[in-house]
Amino acid sequence: MNIVTLNSLSKTYPGGKKAVDSLNINLEKGEVFGFLGPNGAGKTTTVKLLNGMLSPTEGSCRIFGIDPTIAPEKLHALVGVVTEHAQMYQNLTGIQNLVFYGSVFGLSTKESEKRGLDLLERLELSDARDKKLSSYSTGMRQRLSLARSLIHRPQILFLDEPTSGLDPESAQNVHTMIRNLAKDHGITVFLCTHQLRYAQEICTRYGLMENGRLIAEGTFHNLRSSVYPGMKIKLKAQGVPSDLPCRKIGNLAYEVEIESEKDIPQIVRKIVEAGGEIYHVSAELPTLEDIYFTLTRKKEGSI
Amino acid sequence: MKSQMFAIIKKDLQGITTNKRMFSTLLAVPLVLSVFIPTVFILVLHFAPDESVNLQKLLEMLPINELEEDLSLSIIGLVLNYILPIFFLIIPIMAATVMSATSFVGEKEKQTLETLLYSPLSLKEIFRSKVLASFLLSMFVSAISFVAMLLVVEAETKLTTGGFILPDMKWALILILVSPAISLIAITLIVRGSAKAQSVEDAQQRAVFLLLPVLLLLVSQFTGVLFVNVWILLALGIVCALLALWLLRKSMDDFQYEVLLK
Ligand SMILES: Nc1ncnc2c1ncn2[C@@H]1O[C@H](COP(=O)(O)OP(=O)(O)OP(=O)(O)O)[C@@H](O)[C@H]1O
Ligand SMILES: [Mg+2]
């Protein structure tokens, strides 16, 4: 069953900027959807459209069958949202903020406090729970926002750069948490991020945006095979026979384009049989980053 | 009304009462109006030589039935029942203006509005919570001022004239109906203005422009109404209350998140 459906969703801002252009995306339960793209691609705009903060100029979207332009308050009970502009109260402490948002979602003070303390613990903010938000650092605020978005145990999370401004350790921690929420609790996650290395670790599917358009979509495997049909291996060897399709890239270093892993033993055998010596063989799989750059560049080149 | 709305009301009220400086200013002005002004009046009356003003004549011109034996007492009664009630139309509105003018735009400036909009409350419910928070504050300030005024006026009357004068029926009507209704109208309009404003200053200016003519009208016309009779006052109160409820229902019909966040 599709939990999120975007149907030629488009948004043109009053100034005339077409920020989102005919998006069609479907998300299923428990997916972690990595929504990628350069600055100004339209990611935040999409998140706001999906939560009813903006009204689409064309097309529509449904989340749990709810149209956010019609019943946003019903939708909000089911979703947790973190965006850059959704801040909390400076004059309240960490836990006071969480208790407030908990009660706005209809939880009792006691229950909000219990959940709040638990979330603070998981996000390593326990020491700062009684400090005013005004004394929080950027990364601490960011983590408190994530705690806030989880207080009512939403079924879907919209996270717009939830780890920008976090140190590597906290970012790792937050990503692990997001992955576990999806895996163990079946929460669907819509994650906008620029941190491709982490995205590659936790996302089950990706959408790549550029200039408001979705230029590629699919699992890591889909994307990779569409961009790099084959793979590369790197070799460090002496006495490589010249009939092998190796490209010399340095002293004793070679690069070979192959179709799949199955080709590796054959190449190794050929070198050994020809009396060569192998010091190192590694398969070079393109990372999400490689794919991202290839896709965004390809697009630029074709325009 | 949803219980979640109380969370917003509580948060807004705490926000204003924990800001000590703001809250003391908020209380100071009403107290000056309701305590200081009557005091000055009673003292002047007490120390001024009787002959300097022809009070008797003045009183006879007014439609008051039973004159007290003590002239000063009659005058104090006049002030208490015909002049001071006007303050209680102004005080609650003044007390609520700052809070209601910042209600939406204040959250917008602190970037907490979007977070609030992600709540399971509709825009209308958030709007009503904001209005109600300001309204409760205004009624609280108004009640405190009334008690303070009554205590001071009674004590001073006792000291200067030895007599004793009670507020009449109209007071009850004003405190329970007319003043809350007029405050609610003003607050609803100011909160609505706050939702449209781009900055806190902008919202406060809007509020002042909205209120000045209203306050002038109240001050200039209301004494007349007080002299007429209780029924007219009651009718006026009911009309204002209905208008307030209508405004509260209708406001925000034309609002969307997008407009609010702009
Ligand atoms: N309120 C607005 N009015 C007009 N144009 C806007 C508005 N908000 C965003 N835009 C424009 O819409 C486009 C998409 O912006 P958006 O914020 O969705 O990008 P993004 O993908 O989130 O970028 P980033 O990675 O920098 O967060 C940009 O060109 C931006 O200038
Ligand atoms: Mg963005």
Side-chain angles (χ1 to χ4, degrees):
Chain A
M1 191 197 112
N2 288 331
I3 284 185
V4 181
T5 9
L6 285 74
N7 207 331
S8 355
L9 190 69
S10 309
K11 175 71 186 176
T12 308
Y13 278 110
K17 167 84 197 171
K18 190 150 198 176
V20 171
D21 193 356
S22 327
L23 286 192
N24 289 297
I25 301 174
N26 290 311
L27 297 191
E28 280 171 28
K29 188 175 158 71
E31 275 196 286
V32 181
F33 187 73
F35 203 47
L36 317 173
N39 293 137
K43 303 181 294 295
T44 303
T45 307
T46 307
V47 168
K48 289 191 174 171
L49 285 167
L50 290 173
N51 286 290
M53 293 299 126
L54 296 173
S55 318
T57 33
E58 269 166 74
S60 65
C61 52
R62 294 274 187 290
I63 296 154
F64 295 107
I66 302 170
D67 185 337
T69 52
I70 292 170
E73 67 277 5
K74 282 206 192 97
L75 173 64
H76 294 160
L78 305 172
V79 304
V81 189
V82 174
T83 68
E84 183 197 348
H85 296 295
Q87 299 290 333
M88 286 177 270
Y89 300 98
Q90 301 281 352
N91 58 332
L92 300 183
T93 65
I95 187 70
Q96 282 171 343
N97 265 301
L98 293 185
V99 169
F100 168 68
Y101 289 104
S103 32
V104 167
F105 277 92
L107 304 175
S108 69
T109 309
K110 217 173 130 213
E111 180 65 17
S112 309
E113 203 166 82
K114 194 169 140 260
R115 291 190 192 182
L117 290 175
D118 179 50
L119 284 166
L120 289 177
E121 172 93 47
R122 276 159 67 196
L123 288 157
E124 295 169 336
L125 284 171
S126 289
D127 292 343
R129 59 177 240 200
D130 292 321
K131 290 208 181 96
K132 292 234 161 98
L133 188 64
S134 50
S135 70
Y136 274 40
S137 70
T138 315
M140 288 160 83
R141 275 163 213 250
Q142 194 70 306
R143 279 179 280 155
L144 192 68
S145 284
L146 189 65
R148 185 214 82 224
S149 73
L150 291 169
I151 193 98
H152 56 294
R153 307 216 168 119
Q155 298 179 40
I156 173 162
L157 276 174
F158 291 95
L159 306 176
D160 191 1
E161 297 178 38
T163 49
S164 68
L166 293 196
D167 59 48
E169 200 188 327
S170 318
Q172 179 78 55
N173 177 17
V174 165
H175 283 110
T176 311
M177 188 167 161
I178 295 171
R179 179 162 50 189
N180 292 344
L181 284 168
K183 243 201 220 150
D184 306 339
H185 302 276
I187 294 178
T188 311
V189 183
F190 190 95
L191 174 71
C192 303
T193 184
H194 291 294
Q195 293 174 316
L196 301 172
R197 202 167 62 76
Y198 288 119
Q200 187 177 344
E201 279 174 32
I202 68 168
C203 297
T204 54
R205 209 147 61 90
Y206 304 85
L208 181 53
M209 288 284 280
E210 197 170 37
N211 291 322
R213 292 182 153 274
L214 191 67
I215 56 170
E217 197 231 299
T219 61
F220 182 66
H221 196 80
N222 297 151
L223 291 184
R224 196 178 63 195
S225 46
S226 75
V227 177
Y228 301 97
M231 66 189 291
K232 261 187 223 163
I233 52 172
K234 279 209 167 117
L235 275 176
K236 193 176 170 198
Q238 203 160 29
V240 176
S242 52
D243 62 326
L244 275 181
C246 293
R247 201 151 49 86
K248 197 169 164 81
I249 53 170
N251 188 27
L252 305 182
Y254 298 87
E255 216 176 54
V256 194
E257 307 256 349
I258 55 173
E259 259 164 34
S260 76
E261 271 178 350
K262 293 192 189 103
D263 299 341
I264 298 176
Q266 202 191 345
I267 290 174
V268 171
R269 198 176 311 121
K270 273 191 181 159
I271 298 172
V272 174
E273 278 170 1
E277 286 184 351
I278 300 175
Y279 306 107
H280 173 99
V281 182
S282 61
E284 287 273 294
L285 283 174
T287 59
L288 185 62
E289 201 163 336
D290 298 325
I291 297 170
Y292 175 93
F293 280 123
T294 315
L295 280 171
T296 46
R297 254 184 235 129
K298 200 165 154 189
K299 191 80 189 166
E300 261 166 36
S302 70
I303 283 172
Chain B
M1 202 169 107
K2 286 191 188 165
S3 69
Q4 290 109 293
M5 291 168 67
F6 287 111
I8 297 180
I9 295 173
K10 192 172 137 210
K11 189 266 300 168
D12 278 2
L13 285 173
Q14 273 170 353
I16 205 139
T17 48
T18 50
N19 186 343
K20 295 254 158 38
R21 203 168 49 90
M22 182 140 165
F23 195 57
S24 49
T25 344
L26 206 74
L27 275 177
V29 179
L31 285 179
V32 166
L33 270 183
S34 56
V35 171
F36 183 72
I37 293 182
T39 302
V40 169
F41 196 86
I42 291 172
L43 292 183
V44 166
L45 197 66
H46 183 61
F47 291 112
D50 279 353
E51 307 81 43
S52 63
V53 229
N54 202 340
L55 294 173
Q56 186 73 49
K57 261 232 172 79
L58 177 70
L59 285 175
E60 277 162 4
M61 280 160 56
L62 293 170
I64 307 172
N65 313 336
E66 350 87 60
L67 281 184
E68 306 279 339
E69 276 155 41
D70 186 339
L71 253 188
S72 299
L73 209 54
S74 300
I75 300 276
I76 294 174
L78 192 67
V79 171
L80 178 66
N81 288 322
Y82 292 89
I83 310 265
L84 291 181
I86 296 171
F87 292 170
F88 284 81
L89 296 177
I90 302 172
I91 286 171
I93 297 181
M94 267 181 18
T97 305
V98 174
M99 187 171 170
S100 38
T102 46
S103 58
F104 273 98
V105 80
E107 301 241 14
K108 197 192 295 188
E109 287 195 345
K110 284 181 278 170
Q111 299 202 336
T112 50
L113 183 58
E114 192 176 319
T115 328
L116 202 56
L117 298 183
Y118 288 131
S119 74
L121 290 171
S122 68
L123 206 48
K124 246 184 174 158
E125 286 164 333
I126 296 175
F127 179 80
R128 282 179 199 163
S129 314
K130 293 277 176 196
V131 170
L132 223 55
S134 291
F135 181 68
L136 288 177
L137 177 80
S138 75
M139 289 300 106
F140 171 76
V141 172
S142 174
I144 297 262
S145 309
F146 180 72
V147 172
M149 179 208 74
L150 206 59
L151 288 177
V152 168
V153 169
E154 294 303 343
E156 286 168 353
T157 311
K158 186 87 189 150
L159 283 177
T160 56
T161 67
F164 179 71
I165 193 134
L166 277 181
D168 65 14
M169 253 304 288
K170 294 192 203 98
W171 267 108
L173 208 54
I174 287 174
L175 287 178
I176 293 170
L177 182 65
V178 183
S179 161
I182 292 183
S183 314
L184 195 56
I185 294 175
I187 291 169
T188 308
L189 292 176
I190 297 172
V191 172
R192 208 182 118 83
S194 177
K196 289 184 170 172
Q198 290 302 320
S199 69
V200 169
E201 292 81 31
D202 183 17
Q204 278 165 356
Q205 280 162 11
R206 271 169 195 254
V208 170
F209 279 117
L210 179 80
L211 288 186
L212 273 184
V214 176
L215 291 185
L216 284 177
L217 193 76
L218 285 180
V219 172
S220 60
Q221 299 303 311
F222 208 73
T223 318
V225 174
L226 285 178
F227 278 116
V228 182
N229 81 37
V230 178
W231 295 109
I232 293 199
L233 195 62
L234 181 67
L236 188 76
I238 291 174
V239 168
C240 288
L242 290 178
L243 180 62
L245 293 179
W246 180 80
L247 274 175
L248 202 54
R249 280 186 78 94
K250 284 290 160 198
S251 290
M252 310 308 276
D253 265 359
D254 51 342
F255 259 81
Q256 281 180 327
Y257 293 114
E258 188 165 348
V259 183
L260 210 54
L261 286 173
K262 206 157 48 183

